[in-house]
């Protein structure tokens, strides 16, 4: 099985009123958990890696592991480039077999953002890869991408329409009040802004920073046009907490085939809950 683009997957979600969950993965075990849970629940799924993840695991390793998972579970799998900023880096990874990319030029001025995104779209579409880009600027921290709350910027609906038209992207990441990482207080999402963006833009919309967002709010976002929901932090915490608890109660444990098992089980519970939240189960 080969790795597919997210274009058709997100269009199906848009047509049928659910969202595809995009889970950040880091290594063999995290890919296994996401793929096997998605297969068990018959959910389309996107495996997302930041530049830091690809540096950690190696591009060839991640591509091969994800291909093996698609083959083993017989489900369509997207391996995605999350928050990539370097065009050449995107080219290299598409050449290695990845067919879904986010070019994040959201911190550049509008015209520069358009120019950088359009160039990536031209290349990726020629290669059969889909492209996501962001307009506005999400707060919080994801790897070495840090935006403090004062610099976060919400997406302007009219600019979003122009951005989509002039770049030719397949999906648009919106900034409506979510942030990467943990929230200090409950996020307040700007649903009216999301509805206004939806009125202007007809491609699938993407919600970043879904960890810690109440399920009812995510569901509302899906009703208002969100077709892809990104989750990273909650998975990492579940995995790490279960591993810490196991090692705390088994101080002599040294076998990864033992201490990784409860970590994977804890992560699986979160993946399952997020698939239900996205209403993507039983869609393949
Ligand atoms: P969280 O870590 O807040 O879930 O955000 C994930 C994300 O948006 C990945 O791009």
């Amino acid at each position: 099985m080969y790795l597919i683009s997210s274009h058709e997957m997100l269009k199906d979600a848009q047509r049928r009123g659910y969202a595809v969950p995009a889970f950040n993965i880091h290594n063999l075990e995290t890919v296994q958990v996401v793929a096997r849970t998605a297969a068990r629940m018959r959910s389309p799924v996107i495996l997302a890696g930041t530049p830091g993840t690809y540096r950690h695991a190696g591009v060839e390793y991640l591509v091969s592991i994800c291909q093996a998972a698609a083959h083993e579970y017989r489900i369509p799998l997207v391996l995605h480039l999350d928050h990539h900023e370097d065009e050449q880096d995107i080219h290299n990874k598409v050449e290695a077999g990845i067919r879904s990319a986010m070019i994040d030029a959201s911190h550049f001025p509008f015209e520069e953002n358009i120019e950088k995104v359009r160039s990536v779209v031209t290349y990726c579409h020629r290669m059969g890869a889909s492209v996501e880009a962001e307009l506005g600027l999400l707060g919080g921290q994801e790897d070495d991408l840090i935006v403090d709350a004062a610099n976060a910027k919400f997406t302007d609906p009219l600019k979003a329409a122009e951005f989509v038209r002039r770049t030719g992207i397949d999906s648009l990441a919106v900034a409506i009040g979510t942030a990467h990482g943990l929230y200090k207080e409950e996020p307040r999402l700007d649903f009216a802004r999301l509805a206004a963006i939806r009125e202007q833009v007809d491609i699938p919309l993407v919600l970043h920073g879904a960890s810690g967002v109440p399920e009812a709010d995510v569901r509302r976002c899906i009703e208002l046009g969100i077709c892809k929901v990104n989750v990273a932090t909650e998975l990492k915490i579940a995995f790490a907490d279960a591993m810490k608890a196991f090692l705390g109660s088994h101080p002599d444990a040294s076998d990864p085939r033992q201490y990784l098992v409860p970590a994977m089980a804890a992560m699986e519970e979160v993946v399952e809950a997020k698939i239900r939240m996205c209403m993507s189960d039983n869609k393949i």
Side-chain angles (χ1 to χ4, degrees):
M1 298 278 274
Y2 56 94
L3 301 169
I4 61 169
S5 115
S6 43
H7 182 85
E8 274 310 313
M9 208 182 244
L10 296 183
K11 280 286 178 199
D12 187 68
Q14 188 176 35
R15 273 191 296 270
R16 296 163 75 190
Y18 65 94
V20 178
F23 297 114
N24 283 73
I25 47 79
H26 310 281
N27 57 7
L28 171 67
E29 282 77 14
T30 49
V31 171
Q32 285 174 325
V33 170
V34 171
R36 83 178 176 210
T37 312
R40 173 168 59 75
M41 298 178 73
R42 307 306 303 158
S43 171
V45 77
I46 294 173
L47 301 150
T50 60
T53 291
Y54 288 97
R55 273 198 302 277
H56 166 78
V59 180
E60 297 284 326
Y61 281 109
L62 275 187
V63 168
S64 301
I65 290 169
C66 292
Q67 279 169 338
H71 184 75
E72 170 162 5
Y73 294 109
R74 309 237 143 254
I75 51 169
L77 275 186
V78 173
L79 177 59
H80 177 69
L81 306 177
D82 192 24
H83 290 286
H84 276 56
E85 297 181 27
D86 185 87
E87 182 162 1
Q88 188 56 51
D89 184 33
I90 293 175
H91 289 197
N92 296 344
K93 287 168 178 164
V94 169
E95 263 149 43
I98 294 169
R99 290 291 175 268
S100 178
M102 176 191 193
I103 163 74
D104 184 358
S106 56
H107 40 288
F108 286 102
F110 188 61
E111 288 298 326
E112 235 172 298
N113 189 352
I114 288 183
E115 204 177 299
K116 285 179 189 295
V117 171
R118 198 169 40 200
S119 172
V120 169
V121 167
T122 303
Y123 171 80
C124 281
H125 283 180
R126 204 170 58 227
M127 299 294 286
S130 51
V131 181
E132 170 186 334
E134 179 173 318
L135 186 66
L137 195 54
L138 225 73
Q141 173 163 11
E142 172 140 64
D143 285 1
D144 37 16
L145 185 68
I146 304 170
V147 178
D148 53 36
N151 288 323
K153 272 202 292 292
F154 282 16
T155 307
D156 175 325
L158 288 177
K159 288 247 186 253
E162 183 183 347
F163 186 74
V164 168
R165 183 168 40 77
R166 290 178 57 196
T167 55
I169 49 172
D170 301 86
S171 57
L172 175 72
V174 294
I176 54 161
T178 56
H180 291 123
L182 289 180
Y183 293 93
K184 292 195 186 76
E185 49 201 55
E186 203 164 282
R188 292 165 59 90
L189 305 193
D190 189 343
F191 296 111
R193 180 178 297 271
L194 179 57
I197 298 169
R198 169 81 299 161
E199 270 183 21
Q200 299 293 329
V201 169
D202 63 358
I203 61 170
L205 302 176
V206 178
L207 187 71
H208 282 248
S211 288
V213 179
E215 173 159 334
D217 285 2
V218 174
R219 286 274 175 96
R220 182 96 199 277
C221 287
I222 296 171
E223 274 169 33
L224 292 171
I226 291 292
C227 304
K228 172 173 177 271
V229 172
N230 288 12
V231 184
T233 304
E234 275 191 63
L235 304 180
K236 286 198 278 198
I237 291 175
F239 192 96
D241 282 355
M243 198 158 108
K244 286 183 236 175
F246 183 86
L247 291 171
S249 59
H250 301 78
D252 295 330
S254 62
D255 189 335
R257 294 165 303 178
Q258 287 173 359
Y259 62 71
L260 287 171
V261 171
M264 292 171 76
M267 180 176 158
E268 183 159 344
E269 270 183 41
V270 181
V271 169
E272 180 169 338
K274 299 300 178 192
I275 287 175
R276 289 197 201 292
M277 176 181 77
C278 289
M279 298 172 290
S280 61
D281 47 323
N282 295 315
K283 296 296 191 294
I284 53 173

